[in-house]
Amino acid sequence: MLVTFKSAASADVIMFGAVARTLIDILGKTASGDSGIVTVPQLPEAITRLRAAIDEDRARQAERPHDPDAEAQAREAGRSGMAAPVSLAQRAWPLLDMLEASLRENVPVVWGT
């Protein structure tokens, strides 16, 4: 299932359901329904929460010890480049941009399947 985030302030952001639901939870919203909204008054808190989750994810990644052998094994197994795992921070960035643009233009962000 795909979830589409929409705002009059930016282009649509489309995500797979599981990732979108995780981010919706981070925003402090209920991800159980097929649609939802972050109202203009809710945008500052949603931005703060998403930015904190991005920072935590980046800090967690930075704590991992650098292991050249593991990187070589990942390359050999085809888990590098475009096939490398995508972090929460990378997945959240387009939504954060949308939320910030929406706040600047005083418009809500809605989502639906």
Side-chain angles (χ1 to χ4, degrees):
M1 167 179 63
L2 294 176
V3 175
T4 304
F5 294 89
K6 294 181 176 274
S7 170
S10 71
D12 292 356
V13 174
I14 301 170
M15 296 182 185
F16 287 111
V19 173
R21 295 207 185 294
T22 298
L23 295 178
I24 291 167
D25 287 341
I26 289 169
L27 297 177
K29 302 303 248 172
T30 302
S32 59
D34 289 340
S35 63
I37 186 169
V38 179
T39 63
V40 174
Q42 294 170 336
L43 284 169
E45 181 182 350
I47 290 167
T48 299
R49 292 172 67 114
L50 190 55
R51 195 177 293 280
I54 289 170
D55 291 344
E56 287 173 19
D57 187 57
R58 287 186 173 157
R60 215 174 11 258
Q61 290 176 30
E63 289 174 358
R64 289 187 197 142
H66 178 71
D67 185 353
D69 292 333
E71 289 178 14
Q73 289 174 351
R75 274 194 303 278
E76 288 176 23
R79 293 185 313 265
S80 63
M82 293 298 290
V86 180
S87 70
L88 175 77
Q90 291 169 307
R91 293 182 190 276
W93 201 256
L95 181 57
L96 179 61
D97 281 346
M98 175 183 274
L99 293 168
E100 290 173 337
S102 297
L103 181 61
R104 283 192 300 273
E105 296 191 24
N106 291 314
V107 294
V109 173
V110 297
W111 66 86
T113 55

